Amino acid sequence: MRDHFEIRDHDAAGRIGRLEVPRAGVTVETPALLPVVNPNVLTVEPERLRTEFGAEMLITNSYIIRSTDRIRDRVLEAGLHDFLGFDGAIMTDSGSFQLAEYGDIDVTTGEILEFQRRIGSDVATPVDVPTPPDVDRERAERELATTERALADAEAADTGDMLVNAPVQGSTYPDLRETAGRHAAGTDLDVFPVGAMVPLMNAYRYADVVEAVLAAKRGLEPDCPVHLFGAGHPMTLALAVAMGCDLFDSAAYALMARDGRYLTVSGTEHLAELSYFPCSCPVCAEHAPADLREGDDDRAERLLAEHNLHVTFEEVRRIKAAIRDGSLLELVDRRARGHPALLDGYRALLDHAAQLEATDPVSKDAFFYTSHESARRPEVRRHHDRLTRLETPGDLLLTESKPPSSHDHDAVWRVKPPFGPFPRALSETYPLTAETPDRVDTTAQTAAAEGVRRLAEANPGTAITLGHDGWAATALDRVPDRVVVDDLREIGR
């Protein structure tokens, strides 16, 4: 039981939590964005990150500090918090990124953890091996074993009240990710980053990111706070939270500003191509794109970085609100329309509806059917499972229309795509109060037909008649042959 992390709200696999960081003496509300601060280049001052943007936690690189003579002694003397001017929580990386980029570093887990403790880090990281995607399995297994030895070294280190990360590796092998998650959860370490995701995200392989994260989550325990390393673009955050990630570090705000790029929740724009700023943050409210293009380059970079931070923190707040009101998957659906690769990621997430259903609340304010992906949400799956437990009469009419004024059936149940049949007594319960379009698509009809099939198979002694409103043939193919099928549009002619 990890008593430093408390979950307050759930929606899908997303959650709002409270992460206690004892060395900093603060409690961070998750989901939380950790801006990456390069100790050599302060694009936005850390104090402003907290006071103007609301950052409760940031991340910097202890290996860079240790390797840079001109700042190492200053940080050791003043402490990391005073050096950066930040009174929130600070996580430090270990050099694993440099290891992945350059192939070798001159520090061990024991040495870097001791250095992180000495400079006053609140959450430290061992030297794991971020295995890139698509390597052969032998390499992935070998490097995962090295990471597990690093976790053992971290457990043995004297870290005091400093929290310690337990990275979950395994490349693009879901079974290795799950095994790694289970191993990490079995340690006495504190925070669980899913590592080596940056190459996948840079290549827009969001479906593979989903598979890796959900595999890691199957191995981790529910009370494990999960950090998705390198996930800082605002358009990806809703999907990442819906997978069950709690912490995100973002260097994108600064790196993209340096390249003249402007972040939005639906993608990335180039300053050179913008006529208007589609945002009302302080930067965009006070400047036009031409102002930044015609001014000093350093000023333009700083203002772009500030905008990028504003839009990213705004998205984090929007995600928290969506978790609270039960509309997280609807937000993911909207974001998925911004890029085909994000849509792939959303569809991959819904492939694991059973995993999401384990933590998805049984009751929310409303269910909005906003695309055919909505038919695959956990709520639909849960309703179909419940259908197998409902008691049915001997002769049952299922209909999309109002009950006929006279009939010979023992009972009349409503049918509503994408859920399927249900007794009218349940019509005012979630999710059957769903808002659906009048023009129901084939996917919703097929999901409803699946509900009919589940009910019929669970009740072989019940005679069932289905009155449908012009369902497609592919949907009706899901209905068992023994069910009598009437097209209400034909009857009404």
Side-chain angles (χ1 to χ4, degrees):
M1 181 68 180
R2 288 175 169 84
D3 56 8
H4 62 284
F5 185 58
E6 178 186 6
I7 299 169
R8 295 294 187 89
D9 290 278
H10 256 120
D11 193 17
R15 62 255 190 113
I16 294 176
R18 289 169 54 86
L19 177 67
E20 292 185 11
V21 187
R23 198 173 196 198
V26 301
T27 298
V28 176
E29 184 178 77
T30 64
L33 177 74
L34 284 59
V36 175
V37 173
N38 184 332
N40 289 309
V41 184
L42 297 181
T43 307
V44 179
E45 294 80 3
E47 181 181 7
R48 293 184 62 213
L49 291 174
R50 185 163 176 79
T51 58
E52 295 183 30
F53 299 94
E56 297 181 272
M57 192 172 186
L58 57 76
I59 183 170
T60 192
N61 194 305
S62 67
Y63 183 76
I64 291 176
I65 295 171
R66 184 178 181 271
S67 304
T68 307
D69 293 340
R70 65 181 180 82
I71 63 173
R72 179 182 59 248
D73 292 341
R74 291 168 56 199
V75 177
L76 282 167
E77 180 179 352
L80 191 57
H81 287 267
D82 286 348
F83 174 77
L84 293 177
F86 187 77
D87 61 359
I90 300 178
M91 179 185 290
T92 46
D93 202 357
S94 61
S96 295
F97 177 78
Q98 284 73 19
L99 176 65
E101 288 290 304
Y102 308 118
D104 193 26
I105 57 174
D106 59 349
V107 68
T108 67
T109 283
E111 291 168 344
I112 199 65
L113 286 179
E114 173 60 17
F115 182 74
Q116 289 172 89
R117 187 188 64 80
R118 289 177 62 198
I119 63 175
S121 173
D122 302 309
V123 185
T125 308
V127 181
D128 62 310
V129 183
T131 306
D134 308 319
V135 302
D136 62 78
R137 188 178 180 92
E138 182 181 356
R139 175 181 170 183
E141 290 176 336
R142 182 175 66 251
E143 294 183 352
L144 182 55
T146 301
T147 291
E148 290 180 350
R149 288 195 293 273
L151 301 193
D153 292 342
E155 283 190 284
D158 179 11
T159 55
D161 58 358
M162 182 172 64
L163 300 181
V164 180
N165 283 321
V168 178
Q169 300 292 349
S171 186
T172 36
Y173 296 94
D175 62 317
L176 294 185
R177 289 281 184 178
E178 183 172 350
T179 298
R182 189 169 295 109
H183 177 270
T187 69
D188 62 4
L189 303 180
D190 308 290
V191 180
F192 301 87
V194 181
M197 292 289 98
V198 172
L200 292 175
M201 288 184 285
N202 286 347
Y204 292 81
R205 292 173 58 180
Y206 298 122
D208 290 327
V209 171
V210 169
E211 296 296 342
V213 171
L214 290 183
K217 290 281 292 185
R218 289 193 293 274
L220 294 169
E221 295 168 358
D223 62 352
C224 291
V226 177
H227 181 170
L228 185 57
F229 265 143
H233 196 298
M235 77 175 184
T236 67
L237 292 179
L239 177 64
V241 171
M243 297 181 226
C245 299
D246 307 293
L247 302 170
F248 313 90
D249 61 280
S250 173
Y253 76 95
L255 295 176
M256 294 200 175
R258 198 168 302 153
D259 194 35
R261 288 185 283 178
Y262 175 97
L263 300 184
T264 77
V265 294
S266 56
T268 306
E269 306 289 345
H270 289 269
L271 177 64
E273 299 172 359
L274 285 173
S275 299
Y276 305 96
F277 284 142
C279 173
S280 57
C281 78
V283 173
C284 297
E286 296 172 11
H287 303 85
D291 298 335
L292 271 63
R293 288 195 294 266
E294 295 166 3
D296 177 79
D297 288 346
D298 289 342
R299 173 177 173 271
E301 178 183 332
R302 176 179 57 79
L303 290 173
L304 274 180
E306 290 179 10
H307 157 78
N308 291 344
L309 283 167
H310 278 299
V311 74
T312 307
F313 276 102
E314 178 186 39
E315 181 71 354
V316 172
R317 293 190 295 271
R318 186 180 291 114
I319 289 166
K320 290 179 181 179
I323 294 173
R324 281 278 164 84
D325 64 22
S327 62
L328 178 59
L329 289 180
E330 286 147 24
L331 177 60
V332 175
D333 196 312
R334 294 198 298 275
R335 295 293 176 258
R337 267 59 206 170
H339 196 286
L342 272 178
L343 184 56
D344 282 338
Y346 181 37
R347 289 172 175 170
L349 180 72
L350 294 174
D351 287 342
H352 298 275
Q355 185 172 341
L356 303 184
E357 198 269 336
T359 54
D360 192 58
V362 297
S363 182
K364 307 177 189 179
D365 287 343
F367 180 110
F368 282 80
Y369 190 96
T370 52
S371 72
H372 68 261
E373 280 80 23
S374 300
R376 301 175 58 212
R377 281 175 50 173
E379 295 95 330
V380 177
R381 177 187 175 88
R382 181 184 295 127
H383 179 70
H384 288 174
D385 288 342
R386 287 177 173 174
L387 283 171
T388 64
R389 303 192 296 271
L390 292 178
E391 183 177 345
T392 59
D395 191 304
L396 178 62
L397 171 63
L398 311 176
T399 179
E400 282 192 272
S401 70
K402 295 179 180 179
S405 55
S406 62
H407 59 81
D408 297 326
H409 304 282
D410 296 328
V412 180
W413 287 13
R414 178 86 184 277
V415 174
K416 183 171 186 174
F419 304 101
F422 57 90
R424 290 184 177 269
L426 298 180
S427 60
E428 297 303 317
T429 63
Y430 183 86
L432 303 172
T433 53
E435 295 289 341
T436 60
D438 292 335
R439 298 182 179 184
V440 178
D441 59 53
T442 301
T443 305
Q445 294 170 353
T446 302
E450 175 65 16
V452 174
R453 183 190 69 79
R454 295 285 297 273
L455 183 70
E457 291 182 352
N459 299 275
T462 297
I464 299 177
T465 300
L466 169 65
H468 67 88
D469 191 13
W471 287 4
T474 51
L476 293 173
D477 286 344
R478 301 295 300 161
V479 178
D481 291 340
R482 74 175 188 85
V483 174
V484 177
V485 176
D486 292 327
D487 188 334
L488 299 175
R489 295 185 182 183
E490 297 292 334
I491 294 173
R493 289 178 182 175

